[in-house]
Amino acid sequence: MGAEMALVAIGANLPQADGTPAIETCRWVVRRLATLRGMRLLAVSSWWESAPIPPDPGTPPYINGVVRLEGKAEPEALLAALHAIEDEAGRVRPYLNAPRVLDLDLIDLGGRVRDAPPPVLPHPRAHLRAFVLRPLAEVAPGWMHPALGQSVEVLTETVAGQEIRRVAEGCPPSRPSA
């Protein structure tokens, strides 16, 4: 199998243990993703701020973005690498939808559709979240949801009412794309 496109969503809303703010954690993870074996970083979205879903007045807003990678990886191995990076940043999982230092979600890998084993592909809630779709549209315009057959642009219209705002430009890939 040749190189495949991988889309990874990045999110954070808590500082790291050393006080590193969420947006700096997101920028750090881009540099870290650029070092994944067998993958090449091609594009980084702007950084977006969004309210927690489900809404929680006591939870700080999230910083979100999406990166586009290309390479060869099995879904399980790529998910394990993403979890290892989350652990490296100090992520803990005390309960579902808990605030977090870092959240990495594999949104798509080569257009695969699968329900099991983990990871489910495409990500089962990506099409419902403006904080995934808006940055995804920046790094993969025209992307088609593999299960729904709808473009990212059409899907983005369906979440237009969700609160999200651009807070910073993305950073260029750490590796040359050629």
Side-chain angles (χ1 to χ4, degrees):
M1 182 181 295
E4 296 178 296
M5 178 178 67
L7 296 168
V8 176
I10 301 168
N13 74 330
L14 295 177
Q16 290 188 40
D18 66 1
T20 300
I23 195 162
E24 292 307 319
T25 299
C26 292
R27 289 176 173 140
W28 167 83
V29 83
V30 169
R31 294 186 300 273
R32 188 66 183 77
L33 289 169
T35 69
L36 286 178
R37 178 180 217 111
M39 301 301 287
R40 185 170 48 145
L41 179 65
L42 296 180
V44 182
S45 73
S46 301
W47 298 112
W48 298 77
E49 183 179 270
S50 65
I53 296 178
D56 181 354
T59 300
Y62 280 84
I63 300 297
N64 301 101
V66 171
V67 298
R68 180 167 48 104
L69 304 163
E70 182 182 75
K72 294 181 182 181
E74 289 302 316
E76 299 84 358
L78 186 51
L79 181 64
L82 297 178
H83 285 172
I85 293 169
E86 289 176 340
D87 293 344
E88 191 179 335
R91 168 136 188 214
V92 294
R93 294 170 170 80
Y95 56 90
L96 186 64
N97 295 320
R100 56 203 73 149
V101 167
L102 180 62
D103 185 28
L104 298 174
D105 288 324
L106 181 56
I107 303 302
D108 183 27
L109 181 60
R112 298 178 195 204
V113 177
R114 64 186 238 171
D115 292 326
V120 173
L121 290 170
H123 189 281
R125 291 172 303 284
H127 66 286
L128 303 173
R129 308 289 197 235
F131 64 79
V132 171
L133 295 171
R134 296 283 298 272
L136 191 152
E138 292 180 346
V139 299
W143 175 77
M144 295 295 288
H145 189 286
L148 301 176
Q150 294 180 312
S151 71
V152 66
E153 291 80 9
V154 168
L155 292 169
T156 299
E157 291 174 17
T158 69
V159 296
Q162 292 179 17
E163 184 181 332
I164 181 170
R165 69 183 184 93
R166 187 176 308 177
V167 293
E169 293 301 314
C171 54
S174 299
R175 294 180 177 178
S177 59

